[in-house]
Structures are given as structure tokens and as C-alpha cells.
């Protein structure tokens, strides 16, 4: 196996009218509670202070969504009846969400998403209009709710048509910065792509999705965002672990936002169905909308697109590994073409360092264990290349294959950069990779905590390490120190730190604590929050929201909650499956 091959398995609403980045609207309240925007204002009329005053909207008058960028350029299913079926020759189906029948409670809201992405003041979350929007009870005038048709390889095999089986795209919002965000409800009812499902999500998995996506964002990992989470008293029946034990749970909906929800499976379904004109149309749409640096008149634009996706996917998975994140279901239908983390299901953050960690109990073959994520990325990108091949000339196919061959080196390089930074190493040294691998092997043998080992290395002084005197508060390092080779590693590490140009112990510590988190969303934290939420106690969801927004800073409330302490004994018994 080449060194790069080894590295892959390394253990380790309608648009708001915007000009010049800010918005002015005439608020004309529509009968539904939402409004149209009528005034297109010349940017020369703008005063920046005025824009700042108007940046947060406290009511929905003048706040618009649109799906026009899809409906005007891409074919929509002409069948409007909502029943499960095979769909062809379209990208989307027009289908309304199914409102809840019972009481709805607002569990959580992301202030940053509302205010900085959607230009909404937090106070709006107290309104009935907001609840109707985030549950799908009302759709903004001028916007058409859509379900996306896609396919995918699931656990290595082609699964055929998949699609948004429990999600509705309710519109695109362009904010005061000119950024467009696609708003999607997850758990909002059946669509033509629901197969045998009921189109619902339950509170347990929705709490995990809300907290997981927000935690990843604050860790600096490209991801979809969660705007809100609501729970109903509607009954949803789930066999959570596929063991015949069907239980009643409560229906929930997450409003999540992303720059795009297109994924590898969006292109695969068209190639597999022989819909090549539509494949070209969708690909050009994606490039035009999301890859502005690529010239649409360039005959090699698909190669340029593929090169970007390969590079950015390698970078994303390296970032996952750097924080010990295991996605759990790395199917091609869950891999974004924009290389952002989407579709949070049975994910998990690593506790004890274990390259064989499988967060998904449904993954019997352990295909998506954390140490295999880079290999799976290569598999998925190969399936993307197969989807693109019908549009490529013979020479372009050769070049595309060469681009894919560069993926292992790109991943290996990014992985090494990230772990060198986690260890506080500056400059280049030929033994750095050995130093990283040596430590990970010690952690694996001693079952040391992944997050806290690196964090405590950030906080401990070089003198304490030199004397192998590990204070008791550094519990993860104490575990690693039990290894008979730990002192040998320390000697190599301290020698390497001395080679850092212009460095000091305090500079190193400051640098390392800024990239090694103290808090991640451990399974036991999410489980505790979800169990309380099922009793309508949302306090821990809110606490975790606050803590995970500052994962690199020591926080008194997080310390009191034990979020940086050794995980409780019951944590190892937590199980998560695709149905969770």
C-alpha cells in the first residue's frame, strides 16, 4: 500500500430585494401573514447606517422567499398529487408539507441563524407566524414547496431513486449581504420520494440534528445550519434499532438552511436514468449558482467542477477527522456537492480514540467506521465521476481520472496539516508524521479520550510534560501516560517543539487551545438533552446550545455540567441507528 493509501485508512421564503449588501422594502402584509417585496432600490440611494438599522426584521411583512431560481430553470414534476411513485425527467416535485394536527412547542432557535443569515430579529420566534412557517403550516406567498429527486449508493450498492422523503424546500432567502440560503423543513411529511416512510422525524433524532449541525459550525467545519426545532404531540411510531420493538415517539421538525442541498446523488440519478440533457442542465445550474470562478463558456468547466469537489471533499473529511467526527452514513446521497456536512443521522464524536468507531448500529459491515471515512470519500467521488463521464470527451475522461488519483495526496496533506496544528508544530520536519502516528497509537492502546488528550496537551506546560508529572486534572493525558512508551513520545515531542521558530510555551498553548476544542457534542450529552426534551424540559438543549457556541473556551457552566470530565459509565451503552 502506498503511503497515501495508508493515509486514507489512517486511524486516527421568495427573495428579499437586496442592493449593495443591504435591503429596503415596502412592507405590504398579505392575507396569509407574509408579504411581497415591490421596491427595487438603486444602491446609490443607500446609507450604510440605515442598512444597519434595517437589518433585523421583527415581522414577516416584506420578508420574502422564492423558489423561482429552480422553477424558472429546472423541470418540475407535472403530477401534483402527493403519492409515492417513480419520478422521471424532473429535478423537483411540487408538494406541500403536512402540518401537525396537535399542539406544537418551540424547542430551540439559533439566534445567529435567524439574525445573521435570515435577517430576522429573535423576537419574531415568539410569533404565531413563525411557528406556522417552521412547521410548514403556511408557505410564503410566491414560493412553491419542493421535494428534490435524487438517487444514491447506500452502503456500497446502487439504491435507485431516493429523494427528499421527509423534507420540503420551502424557499430561498437572499440576505442583506447578498448571500442566498435554501430553507428546508425536515420531518414535514410524506412526498413522492417517501418510499415506505411516514415522512416524519422524531424529537430524539431532531435534537441531535439541531445540536450536531450547530456544534460543527462553531468548530469551524463546513455544515448546514439549524434555524429552529419544534416538537408536536403527534404520534410517530419507530422501531429505533430495527429489533421489532416499535415505540411511540413525538413528531418534530427542524428548519435547516444551507447554500445548497444538491448532493452527488442529485447527478447520479440522472446518469443512471439516461437523462443526459437534464444532467447537463442541472450541472450547469449548479456551476453557475455555486462555482462563480468557473467560466460557463469553458469547454472544460465540468473538469474544473470535479476538481473543486474532489479537493474540497478531501478537506472536509480531514476536518471531520481532526475533531473526531464520524458521520455514520456516508452514502453518496449524503455527500454534498459543495463539500458541506449534511444529513445528520447516526453521527458521533469519538470518545476513546478508536479508528474502528462505528456510530451507527445499523452498519453491520462497519463500512462507515471513522477510520474508513477517507476511503469512502474516494468511493463516492468515483461514483460522481461515473455520473459525469457521459458528458465528457475521451481526453476529458482521462484528465478527470487523474484528478481523482490526486485525492489521496490531497487528503493526506490536509490531514497532516491539521494534526500538526493540533500538536502545536510549526514549520516542516520529516518526522512529524511519525510523531502524530506514534501518539495516536498510544491513545488507541490506552483508550484515551480523543478530544481531551489534545486539549490537555494544549493546556499542560512543557515542564510538566518533561517531568512526566501529569496533574490529576489532566485525566486524559494520565491515561496515555500509562503506556510504557509515553515517555519516549514525550522526549520526541519536546525536541520537536524546540524546533518551532520564535515560539514559547505560552504561545504554543494559546495556539493549540484555539484549535483543540474543550467541548464537543458527545453522544451522552445529546442523549441526556433529548431525554429531557421528551419530557418537555428543554433546559439542557439550551445549555448545550450555549456551550457549543464557544467550544474552545473554558466555561464555568460547562465545567459544572461535567462536559469536560470523564464520560459517565452509562455513555458507552448509548446506541444510535439510522432510525434514531
Amino acid at each position: 500500500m502506498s503511503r497515501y493509501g495508508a493515509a486514507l485508512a489512517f486511524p486516527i421564503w421568495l427573495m428579499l430585494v437586496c442592493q449593495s449588501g443591504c435591503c429596503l422594502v415596502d412592507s405590504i402584509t398579505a392575507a396569509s401573514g407574509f408579504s411581497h417585496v415591490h421596491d427595487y432600490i438603486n444602491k446609490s440611494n443607500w446609507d450604510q447606517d440605515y442598512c444597519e438599522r434595517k437589518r433585523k426584521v421583527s415581522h414577516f411583512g416584506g420578508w420574502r422567499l422564492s423558489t423561482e431560481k429552480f422553477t424558472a430553470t429546472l423541470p418540475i414534476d407535472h403530477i401534483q398529487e402527493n403519492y409515492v411513485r417513480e419520478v422521471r425527467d424532473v429535478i423537483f416535485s411540487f408538494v406541500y408539507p403536512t402540518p401537525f394536527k396537535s399542539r406544537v412547542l418551540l424547542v430551540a432557535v439559533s439566534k445567529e441563524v435567524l439574525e445573521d443569515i435570515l435577517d430576522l430579529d429573535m423576537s419574531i420566534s415568539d410569533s404565531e407566524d413563525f411557528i406556522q412557517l417552521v412547521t410548514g403550516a403556511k408557505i410564503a406567498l410566491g414560493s412553491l414547496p419542493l421535494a428534490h429527486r435524487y438517487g444514491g449508493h447506500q452502503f456500497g450498492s446502487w439504491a435507485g431513486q431516493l429523494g427528499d422523503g421527509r423534507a420540503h424546500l420551502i424557499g430561498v432567502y437572499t440576505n442583506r449581504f447578498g448571500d442566498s440560503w435554501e430553507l428546508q423543513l425536515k420531518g414535514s411529511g410524506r412526498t413522492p420520494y417517501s418510499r415506505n416512510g411516514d415522512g416524519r422525524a422524531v424529537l430524539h433524532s431532531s435534537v441531535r440534528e439541531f445540536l450536531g449541525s450547530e456544534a460543527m459550525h462553531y468548530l469551524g467545519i463546513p455544515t448546514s445550519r439549524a434555524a429552529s426545532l419544534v416538537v408536536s404531540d403527534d404520534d410517530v411510531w419507530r422501531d429505533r434499532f430495527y429489533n421489532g420493538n416499535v415505540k411511540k415517539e413525538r413528531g418534530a421538525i427542524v428548519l435547516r438552511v444551507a447554500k445548497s442541498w444538491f448532493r452527488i446523488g442529485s447527478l447520479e440519478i440522472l446518469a443512471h436514468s439516461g437523462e443526459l440533457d437534464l444532467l447537463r442542465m442541472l450541472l450547469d445550474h449548479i456551476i453557475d449558482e455555486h462555482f462563480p470562478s468557473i467560466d460557463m463558456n469553458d469547454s472544460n468547466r465540468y473538469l474544473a467542477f470535479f476538481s473543486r469537489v474532489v479537493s474540497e471533499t478531501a478537506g472536509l473529511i480531514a476536518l471531520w477527522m481532526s475533531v473526531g467526527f464520524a458521520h455514520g452514513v456516508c452514502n453518496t446521497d449524503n455527500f454534498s456537492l459543495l463539500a458541506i456536512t449534511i444529513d445528520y443521522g447516526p453521527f458521533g464524536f469519538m470518545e476513546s480514540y478508536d479508528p474502528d468507531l462505528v456510530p451507527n448500529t445499523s452498519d453491520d459491515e462497519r463500512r462507515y467506521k471513522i477510520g474508513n471515512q477517507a476511503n469512502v470519500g474516494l468511493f463516492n467521488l468515483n461514483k460522481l465521476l461515473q455520473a459525469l463521464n457521459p458528458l465528457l470527451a475521451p481526453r476529458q475522461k482521462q484528465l478527470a481520472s487523474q484528478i481523482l488519483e490526486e485525492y489521496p495526496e490531497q487528503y493526506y496533506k490536509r490531514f497532516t496539516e491539521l494534526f500538526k496544528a493540533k500538536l502545536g508544530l510549526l514549520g516542516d520536519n520529516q518526522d512529524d508524521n511519525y510523531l502524530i502516528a506514534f501518539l495516536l497509537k498510544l491513545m488507541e492502546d490506552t483508550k484515551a479520550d480523543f478530544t481531551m488528550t489534545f486539549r490537555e496537551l494544549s493546556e499542560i506546560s512543557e515542564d510538566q510534560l518533561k517531568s512526566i508529572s501529569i496533574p490529576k486534572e489532566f485525566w486524559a493525558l494520565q491515561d496515555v501516560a500509562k503506556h510504557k512508551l509515553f515517555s519516549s513520545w514525550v522526549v520526541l515531542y519536546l525536541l520537536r517543539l524546540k524546533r518551532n521558530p520564535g515560539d514559547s510555551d505560552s504561545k504554543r498553548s494559546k495556539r493549540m487551545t484555539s484549535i483543540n476544542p474543550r467541548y464537543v457534542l458527545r453522544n451522552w450529552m445529546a442523549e441526556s438533552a433529548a431525554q429531557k426534551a421528551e419530557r418537555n424540559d428543554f433546559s439542557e438543549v439550551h445549555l448545550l446550545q450555549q456551550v457549543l457556541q464557544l467550544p474552545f473556551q473554558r466555561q464555568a457552566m460547562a465545567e459544572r455540567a461535567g462536559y469536560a470530565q470523564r464520560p459517565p459509565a452509562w455513555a458507552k451503552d448509548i446506541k444510535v441507528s439510522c432510525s434514531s
Side-chain angles (χ1 to χ4, degrees):
M1 181 182 292
S2 71
R3 66 179 180 134
Y4 299 132
L8 293 182
F10 203 86
I12 348 234
W13 332 63
L14 308 153
M15 282 187 186
L16 188 61
V17 180
C18 290
Q19 297 287 347
S20 188
C22 49
C23 307
L24 176 65
V25 296
D26 254 343
S27 300
I28 305 175
T29 304
S32 67
F34 304 106
S35 302
H36 295 280
V37 174
H38 297 287
D39 295 333
Y40 285 69
I41 310 299
N42 187 290
K43 65 182 180 182
S44 63
N45 295 332
W46 286 109
D47 173 85
Q48 187 61 38
D49 290 337
Y50 182 80
C51 292
E52 285 300 307
R53 290 197 303 271
K54 295 295 288 184
R55 67 180 181 172
K56 296 174 186 174
V57 178
S58 58
H59 56 86
F60 284 109
W63 189 90
R64 297 188 72 210
L65 294 176
S66 177
T67 45
E68 185 178 2
K69 80 172 185 179
F70 300 125
T71 58
T73 59
L74 299 172
I76 309 298
D77 189 3
H78 70 279
I79 299 175
Q80 297 192 7
E81 290 82 3
N82 186 9
Y83 63 94
V84 175
R85 60 188 183 276
E86 285 291 318
V87 180
R88 282 190 58 89
D89 303 313
V90 303
I91 305 299
F92 293 100
S93 292
F94 167 60
V95 57
Y96 275 95
T98 304
F100 288 128
K101 298 178 180 178
S102 62
R103 176 186 63 159
V104 175
L105 298 176
L106 183 64
V107 176
V109 175
S110 168
K111 184 176 188 291
E112 183 178 283
V113 174
L114 255 63
E115 296 192 343
D116 296 344
I117 291 179
L118 300 180
D119 297 330
L120 296 171
D121 190 272
M122 268 292 287
S123 62
I124 206 168
S125 63
D126 296 326
S127 70
E128 180 61 24
D129 281 343
F130 182 79
I131 294 298
Q132 291 188 339
L133 177 76
V134 301
T135 59
K138 284 187 179 178
I139 298 296
L141 287 179
S143 189
L144 297 174
L146 302 172
H148 176 37
R149 171 192 175 220
Y150 55 81
H153 279 80
Q154 297 193 327
F155 296 93
S157 300
W158 175 243
Q161 176 180 289
L162 299 169
D164 289 334
R166 54 176 176 169
H168 294 76
L169 177 67
I170 60 171
V172 180
Y173 179 72
T174 303
N175 65 21
R176 65 189 185 276
F177 306 113
D179 296 327
S180 292
W181 293 84
E182 298 177 13
L183 281 68
Q184 187 186 77
L185 300 178
K186 181 176 179 180
S188 44
R190 286 170 62 86
T191 76
Y193 310 103
S194 295
R195 294 179 288 170
N196 296 321
D198 58 14
R200 290 299 188 193
V202 297
L203 180 60
H204 185 275
S205 61
S206 298
V207 166
R208 289 174 54 83
E209 166 120 16
F210 182 92
L211 292 174
S213 55
E214 290 302 281
M216 288 285 275
H217 167 73
Y218 291 107
L219 287 169
I221 315 295
T223 178
S224 58
R225 301 292 305 276
S228 66
L229 167 61
V230 295
V231 63
S232 74
D233 288 334
D234 284 22
D235 293 339
V236 176
W237 296 89
R238 284 289 182 272
D239 182 357
R240 187 179 292 184
F241 301 108
Y242 303 105
N243 59 5
N245 187 16
V246 180
K247 289 187 176 181
K248 182 172 67 175
E249 302 194 43
R250 297 164 70 193
I253 293 176
V254 176
L255 171 60
R256 54 188 194 172
V257 303
K259 291 295 184 70
S260 172
W261 293 102
F262 287 126
R263 66 240 9 243
I264 291 176
S266 303
L267 303 178
E268 280 189 291
I269 188 70
L270 304 177
H272 272 263
S273 301
E275 300 167 49
L276 301 188
D277 289 341
L278 190 50
L279 174 62
R280 182 177 288 103
M281 181 187 298
L282 178 58
L283 193 51
D284 284 343
H285 172 89
I286 292 170
I287 294 172
D288 189 42
E289 285 283 336
H290 301 292
F291 296 84
S293 64
I294 298 177
D295 184 355
M296 291 302 297
N297 296 316
D298 187 351
S299 61
N300 289 318
R301 63 187 180 278
Y302 299 152
L303 282 178
F305 162 79
F306 184 61
S307 179
R308 283 278 300 278
V309 177
V310 168
S311 175
E312 292 175 7
T313 299
L316 176 66
I317 298 176
L319 282 167
W320 287 357
M321 299 298 288
S322 75
V323 295
F325 175 79
H327 185 282
V329 191
C330 295
N331 298 326
T332 58
D333 55 294
N334 292 334
F335 259 51
S336 162
L337 290 172
L338 271 59
I340 61 174
T341 314
I342 59 172
D343 292 354
Y344 289 83
F347 68 88
F349 284 89
M350 193 153 47
E351 304 261 1
S352 297
Y353 178 72
D354 179 9
D356 293 325
L357 169 69
V358 180
N360 178 8
T361 59
S362 308
D363 186 1
D364 296 329
E365 297 180 356
R366 308 179 70 81
R367 176 181 179 83
Y368 297 140
K369 63 183 181 181
I370 190 170
N372 199 41
Q373 288 186 135
N375 281 322
V376 170
L378 181 60
F379 175 91
N380 290 351
L381 290 167
N382 183 55
K383 296 306 176 185
L384 173 60
L385 176 56
Q386 290 179 22
L388 296 178
N389 269 334
L391 305 184
L392 302 178
R395 176 57 179 160
Q396 290 175 326
K397 292 179 182 179
Q398 293 178 350
L399 292 172
S401 295
Q402 292 173 12
I403 290 170
L404 186 58
E405 289 173 0
E406 296 170 359
Y407 167 85
E409 183 172 0
Q410 291 176 337
Y411 170 78
Y412 179 81
K413 179 181 178 182
R414 186 62 178 133
F415 178 95
T416 302
E417 290 172 348
L418 289 166
F419 275 79
K420 283 178 61 176
K422 287 175 73 66
L423 286 176
L425 308 183
L426 300 175
D428 294 317
N429 186 284
Q430 62 181 3
D431 295 326
D432 286 348
N433 294 334
Y434 175 75
L435 193 65
I436 295 167
F438 193 170
L439 175 61
L440 292 176
K441 178 59 177 172
L442 299 184
M443 292 167 62
E444 182 178 0
D445 289 349
T446 57
K447 302 187 185 316
D449 188 272
F450 177 81
T451 298
M452 291 307 295
T453 295
F454 282 100
R455 178 66 186 202
E456 290 172 6
L457 277 173
S458 309
E459 297 176 344
I460 198 169
S461 72
E462 291 182 27
D463 286 341
Q464 288 172 317
L465 269 179
K466 187 182 299 183
S467 64
I468 313 296
S469 173
I470 310 297
K472 63 180 181 179
E473 64 263 28
F474 297 122
W475 56 270
L477 274 181
Q478 283 190 332
D479 288 345
V480 187
K482 295 174 184 176
H483 201 289
K484 63 183 180 180
L485 296 178
F486 178 68
S487 59
S488 299
W489 180 84
V490 168
V491 170
L492 294 175
Y493 180 54
L494 292 176
L495 284 173
R496 176 61 180 87
L497 290 179
K498 287 182 179 179
R499 298 190 184 103
N500 282 347
D503 205 14
S504 67
D505 205 12
S506 60
K507 288 180 181 178
R508 173 195 64 85
S509 179
K510 183 177 180 180
R511 195 168 61 248
M512 290 174 65
T513 53
S514 71
I515 60 171
N516 286 313
R518 188 168 177 85
Y519 315 108
V520 295
L521 183 64
R522 299 170 182 267
N523 262 346
W524 68 268
M525 298 177 189
E527 182 69 18
S528 177
Q531 289 182 4
K532 288 181 180 178
E534 286 169 347
R535 302 191 296 270
N536 289 338
D537 177 359
F538 308 136
S539 60
E540 192 158 9
V541 174
H542 299 156
L543 173 61
L544 281 169
Q545 262 192 279
Q546 289 181 269
V547 170
L548 296 171
Q549 286 177 7
L550 297 169
F552 305 103
Q553 298 181 25
R554 188 185 290 260
Q555 302 171 52
M557 59 184 175
E559 298 299 312
R560 287 194 297 271
Y563 289 162
Q565 300 304 310
R566 193 179 297 276
W570 56 268
K572 65 179 182 298
D573 297 324
I574 296 173
K575 297 178 181 179
V576 184
S577 77
C578 287
S579 182
S580 297

